[in-house]
Amino acid sequence: MTRRAYAPPATGRDRRPLLLLAAILGVLALLLPLAWTLDASIDHDRNLFTDRQQMAWIQHVNLANGGNPVAGNVGPDDEMKVGEVAFRPSKDISVEVRLQERTGAEGETLQGYCVRTSNEDGEEIPWLCHDLASPPSKPSGDPLADL
């Protein structure tokens, strides 16, 4: 009778790491539609902020070039001319501009404007108000940024 000094090698592999990997991939696959829905919602709201910022910048450029702010409402199928620039909002977005005057640090009257956006779902982004003394930040990554 021969005795072995060690146990015989295991013929089957441990399947726990493989099952754990399959479970993790399954959970990720179930979460993917939720991530897509959340991303679509964020992208939908982004146009509200982008259009508001673009209109504020266009108004500022017009004001800085000696023009006056232009009040009005522009819907998704309309166009609004501010100085030399025609603005058309994104799909399903409406932009509203109102005039606002304020007194400057030295008692002078500063012409200003306020911009807000809304969409057809009823979401509304609050007013963003500026004048020549407090300009908006320049939009980035859009064709109107080099005005």
Side-chain angles (χ1 to χ4, degrees):
M1 180 168 354
T2 46
R3 291 189 172 178
R4 294 187 178 180
Y6 56 90
T11 56
R13 292 186 175 177
D14 188 10
R15 296 183 188 261
R16 283 181 283 182
L18 183 61
L19 292 174
L20 180 62
L21 178 63
I24 290 172
L25 291 176
V27 168
L28 289 176
L30 290 174
L31 291 176
L32 195 57
L34 177 65
W36 284 336
T37 302
L38 182 61
D39 184 53
S41 173
I42 291 170
D43 282 346
H44 179 70
D45 292 346
R46 183 176 292 135
N47 288 338
L48 288 167
F49 291 98
T50 302
D51 284 1
R52 182 181 71 168
Q53 191 65 29
Q54 286 179 345
M55 176 55 80
W57 182 253
I58 291 169
Q59 293 281 351
H60 169 71
V61 169
N62 183 47
L63 194 58
N65 289 331
N68 292 319
V70 179
N73 296 325
V74 59
D77 298 325
D78 299 329
E79 186 175 271
M80 182 175 181
K81 189 142 174 112
V82 179
E84 299 296 318
V85 179
F87 174 80
R88 183 180 298 272
S90 302
K91 180 182 176 194
D92 301 332
I93 305 291
S94 295
V95 178
E96 182 179 354
V97 180
R98 73 174 186 208
L99 302 181
Q100 176 177 315
E101 289 184 352
R102 75 175 182 95
T103 304
E106 298 176 8
E108 74 279 14
T109 300
L110 297 172
Q111 290 185 350
Y113 55 90
C114 297
V115 182
R116 79 172 167 189
T117 53
S118 59
N119 64 17
E120 293 179 353
D121 296 334
E123 297 173 63
E124 189 173 274
I125 304 302
W127 291 102
L128 178 68
C129 297
H130 295 283
D131 55 38
L132 202 51
S134 61
S137 58
K138 186 175 182 180
S140 61
D142 68 324
L144 299 175
D146 294 326
L147 295 175

